[in-house]
């Protein structure tokens, strides 16, 4: 095929995400070519694309690669893990120097580093680009978080900027940093997503159990919240969920869904890596643990029979709703604060040189954690590029200060009522601990030194000390 007739962009993996993404590319005036081993998926794409000069596809890898203009830009939207390595190895023999492979899946960041080094040796560029927004986002505009070779970014930038979601006209994509920076940022995005989902569901639990709100009222409450400072994709879809009738004709669908949450691993990776870095992200940790507790349904049902549970004390509905709004706002801030703190630290540790203001900026539209709050978060990091934790920003001191007393009241009410609020109470204790100049960990140091001669530092003089305790 003549170079000028070739396609601008290649996409491997024509599942829902891949098909939607490639159609989005084509909608934006780039000629796109897809590849999948499944003939039905190839046929479906060609049909939906309408004009094969704009969107074409093949089941044969040589045909696919040959159809692309050089340097080739080939995006993979395939399941994370081994499949990515297999696809890369299948592509390599057909590629030319300086071609670019972009992994758009939720790959683990160290896999991305390994793949980047492997492809570099072969004269090829590699991007780990987190893509957020689900199937609709892929079709209409996702938030894209690319990391990898800076020089090669210029080649993919026009396509990414065209297909990405726009916030007030600005594309929700930016070059984030070298190596696995993009995958890492997407991983932490998902950790924050887990935290926000857990918090949203806890507040729902409180409103239905203590406030006796029915699904119509819950819809109203979340819908109203979405018009205010809690405006966010997750609050918006939550409002919508309460309205959805059961397609089997049995009331509202949400009441028919089994309370066992699944997970694909990105939230867990965020927690695990935060532990490795030594950065506390307890709201994300607890969100992962809650999915695990939820999975123990049979055990929970048995245990429920063994213990009494207090009846929630009477509470004014409006007062409960108002406190719940404050609690959700406060705890969303804690979830972002923890995730961004992790990013700030990872940036130093892995040499990503992340600009957290830019990350907040490209999260404002398209992605699952998009929210009005990100505007303030962006502002906080733009004002102070060295800001580690959002809680240190004057913009947030004010917001947190104005809500925390009602959060305390709500957490204590929930505890008295036996309604589990692990995410919310955790967000509160994280705040209390992070903002305490004195914690009781002096005692832990004493215990460590007592039983294991692990030494301690003193508040009144420099040095490392050990004491023969009880001597
Ligand atoms: C996104 C999402 C997406 C993720 C799902 C499911 O940003 O579009 O984060 O990448 O795969 O949210 O994740 P779990 O199955 O782990 O809940």
């Amino acid at each position: 095929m003549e170079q000028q007739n070739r396609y601008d962009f290649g996409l491997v993996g024509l599942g829902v995400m891949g098909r939607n993404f490639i159609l989005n590319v084509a909608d934006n005036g780039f000629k796109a070519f897809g590849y999948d081993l499944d003939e039905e998926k190839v046929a479906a794409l060609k049909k939906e694309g309408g004009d094969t000069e704009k969107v074409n596809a093949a089941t044969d890898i040589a045909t696919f690669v040959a159809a692309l203009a050089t340097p080739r830009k080939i995006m993979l939207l395939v399941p994370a893990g081994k499949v990515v390595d297999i696809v890369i190895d299948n592509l390599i023999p057909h590629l030319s120097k300086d071609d670019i492979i972009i992994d758009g899946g939720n790959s683990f960041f160290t896999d991305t580093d390994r793949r980047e080094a492997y492809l570099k040796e072969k004269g090829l560029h590699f991007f780990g680009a987190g893509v957020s927004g689900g199937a609709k986002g892929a079709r209409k505009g996702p938030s894209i978080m690319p990391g990898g070779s800076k020089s090669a970014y210029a080649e993919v930038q026009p396509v990414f900027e065209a297909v990405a979601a726009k916030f007030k006209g600005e594309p929700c994509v930016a070059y984030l940093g070298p190596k696995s920076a993009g995958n890492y940022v997407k991983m932490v995005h998902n950790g924050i997503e887990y935290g926000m989902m857990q918090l949203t569901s806890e507040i729902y639990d409180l409103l239905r159990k203590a406030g006796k709100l029915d699904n119509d009222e819950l819809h109203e409450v979340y819908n109203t919240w979405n018009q205010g400072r809690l405006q966010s994709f997750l609050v918006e879809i939550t409002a919508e969920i309460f309205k959805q009738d059961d397609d089997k004709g049995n009331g509202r669908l949400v009441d028919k869904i089994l309370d066992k949450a699944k997970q694909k691993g990105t939230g867990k990776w965020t927690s695990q890596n935060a532990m490795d870095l030594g950065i506390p992200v307890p709201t994300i940790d607890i969100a992962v643990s809650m999915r695990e507790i939820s999975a123990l349904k049979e055990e929970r049902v048995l245990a429920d029979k063994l213990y009494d549970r207090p009846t929630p004390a009477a509470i004014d509905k409006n007062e409960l709703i108002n406190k719940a709004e404050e609690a959700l706002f406060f705890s969303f801030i804690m979830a972002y604060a923890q995730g961004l703190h992790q990013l700030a630290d990872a940036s130093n540790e892995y040499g990503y040189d992340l600009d957290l203001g830019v990350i907040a900026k490209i999260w404002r539209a398209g992605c699952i954690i998009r929210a009005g709050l990100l505007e303030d978060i962006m502002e906080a990091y733009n004002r102070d590029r060295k800001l580690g934790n959002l809680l240190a920003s004057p913009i947030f001191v004010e917001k947190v200060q104005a809500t925390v007393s009602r959060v305390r009241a709500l957490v204590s009410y929930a505890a008295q009522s036996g309604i589990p609020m692990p995410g919310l109470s955790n967000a509160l204790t994280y705040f209390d601990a992070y903002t305490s100049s004195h914690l009781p960990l002096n005692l832990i140091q004493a215990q460590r030194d007592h039983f294991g001669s692990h030494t301690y530092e003193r508040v009144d003089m420099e040095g490392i000390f050990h004491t023969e305790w009880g001597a």
Side-chain angles (χ1 to χ4, degrees):
M1 196 185 286
E2 297 292 318
Q3 173 81 359
Q4 68 268 22
N5 295 331
R6 291 193 199 164
Y7 291 77
D8 305 305
F9 195 80
L11 200 136
V12 177
L14 301 177
V16 182
M17 285 294 284
R19 190 177 70 240
N20 282 348
F21 196 93
I22 197 170
L23 289 168
N24 183 357
V25 171
D27 279 351
N28 281 286
F30 296 95
K31 291 165 59 174
F33 205 105
Y35 164 67
D36 200 294
L37 290 174
D38 185 335
E39 274 174 29
E40 276 179 26
K41 287 185 179 150
V42 165
L45 175 68
K46 284 195 198 172
K47 192 164 171 236
E48 207 172 336
D51 175 358
T52 53
E53 276 197 17
K54 290 183 181 144
V55 197
N56 208 342
T59 52
D60 172 54
I61 200 159
T63 310
F64 165 68
V65 176
L68 301 172
T70 54
R72 298 181 179 89
K73 295 161 270 296
I74 300 175
M75 180 139 165
L76 319 184
L77 276 169
V78 299
K82 271 242 141 303
V83 182
V84 177
D85 291 308
I86 294 169
V87 173
I88 289 174
D89 279 330
N90 288 344
L91 282 169
I92 287 172
H94 304 279
L95 300 179
S96 326
K97 190 175 173 309
D98 283 332
D99 282 351
I100 302 163
I101 299 181
I102 306 149
D103 176 12
N106 284 327
S107 289
F108 191 57
F109 71 100
T110 54
D111 285 341
T112 299
D113 288 333
R114 170 177 58 76
R115 289 170 186 143
E116 204 222 4
Y118 174 66
L119 288 169
K120 203 176 192 168
E121 272 174 27
K122 301 183 185 323
L124 300 167
H125 299 286
F126 188 63
F127 277 93
V131 178
S132 178
K136 271 193 197 156
R139 185 71 185 85
K140 295 283 172 210
S143 172
I144 311 177
M145 296 155 241
S149 143
K150 182 140 201 199
S151 58
Y153 186 65
E155 294 288 340
V156 293
Q157 189 173 2
V159 181
F160 278 179
E161 289 190 353
V163 302
K166 306 289 177 308
F167 185 88
K168 295 185 183 155
E170 290 185 280
C172 288
V173 59
Y175 174 79
L176 296 184
K179 301 183 290 177
S180 53
N183 279 125
Y184 194 93
V185 171
K186 177 59 172 37
M187 175 184 82
V188 174
H189 164 286
N190 282 24
I192 299 172
E193 169 187 306
Y194 272 51
M196 292 171 74
M197 290 168 80
Q198 174 61 28
L199 294 162
T200 322
S201 70
E202 286 178 16
I203 295 292
Y204 150 62
D205 206 22
L206 190 70
L207 292 176
R208 67 175 174 172
K209 286 182 181 157
K212 306 272 178 286
L213 272 75
D214 64 20
N215 287 318
D216 284 330
E217 289 171 303
L218 287 163
H219 165 79
E220 282 306 321
V221 166
Y222 278 79
N223 199 28
T224 307
W225 288 351
N226 192 44
Q227 318 300 317
R229 60 183 175 175
L230 279 174
Q231 185 276 315
S232 57
F233 173 71
L234 285 169
V235 170
E236 179 192 329
I237 63 163
T238 304
E240 208 172 284
I241 286 167
F242 294 126
K243 268 282 189 210
Q244 185 80 38
D245 285 330
D246 176 14
D247 44 11
K248 311 264 179 288
N250 253 328
R252 292 286 157 86
L253 184 54
V254 67
D255 297 324
K256 297 288 167 282
I257 296 179
L258 187 64
D259 56 342
K260 278 166 88 167
K262 299 275 178 353
Q263 51 180 321
K264 290 206 245 352
T266 45
K268 184 182 76 180
W269 293 343
T270 308
S271 277
Q272 286 173 326
N273 187 256
M275 292 267 177
D276 289 342
L277 294 172
I279 295 295
V281 294
T283 307
I284 298 172
D285 301 339
I286 200 70
V288 177
S289 295
M290 281 309 291
R291 293 199 188 190
E292 287 154 3
I293 292 184
S294 83
L296 306 174
K297 174 80 176 181
E298 293 72 21
E299 291 175 44
R300 286 192 284 123
V301 170
L302 286 178
D304 195 3
K305 298 196 178 91
L306 302 178
Y307 296 92
D308 296 333
R309 191 175 293 277
T311 315
I315 185 165
D316 177 76
K317 221 182 209 179
N318 284 330
E319 181 195 332
L320 181 71
I321 293 169
N322 290 339
K323 282 192 176 132
E325 190 270 347
E326 304 219 44
L328 200 51
F329 183 67
F330 170 92
S331 55
F332 274 6
I333 294 175
M334 296 305 144
Y336 284 116
Q338 293 168 25
L340 289 158
H341 194 193
Q342 178 170 350
L343 286 179
D345 196 75
S347 178
N348 294 331
E349 183 69 24
Y350 304 125
Y352 291 147
D353 195 22
L354 299 175
D355 182 333
L356 299 188
V358 167
I359 292 170
K361 181 173 174 227
I362 66 165
W363 284 351
R364 290 178 305 166
C367 69
I368 305 296
I369 64 168
R370 63 184 185 256
L373 251 177
L374 282 159
E375 195 80 18
D376 294 315
I377 295 177
M378 181 180 88
E379 176 66 20
Y381 282 102
N382 285 347
R383 272 196 212 173
D384 178 3
R385 294 208 175 268
K386 300 239 170 309
L387 181 68
N389 194 311
L390 265 191
L391 294 178
S393 159
I395 301 178
F396 280 89
V397 171
E398 209 179 293
K399 293 185 197 307
V400 170
Q401 197 91 311
T403 45
V404 65
S405 67
R406 253 96 58 201
V407 180
R408 294 188 197 289
L410 200 68
V411 166
S412 92
Y413 172 79
Q416 299 278 353
S417 305
I419 300 172
M421 306 283 282
L424 183 63
S425 50
N426 220 290
L428 179 61
T429 48
Y430 167 79
F431 166 74
D432 280 334
Y434 185 78
T435 56
S436 285
S437 39
H438 293 103
L439 289 172
L441 288 284
N442 49 332
L443 183 60
I444 291 179
Q445 282 297 76
Q447 291 165 333
R448 292 177 70 245
D449 193 55
H450 190 299
F451 65 65
S453 305
H454 293 299
T455 73
Y456 56 89
E457 291 170 280
R458 297 180 57 101
V459 293
D460 53 356
M461 55 183 87
E462 289 285 312
I464 304 291
F465 298 87
H466 166 63
T467 295
E468 286 303 308
W469 296 85

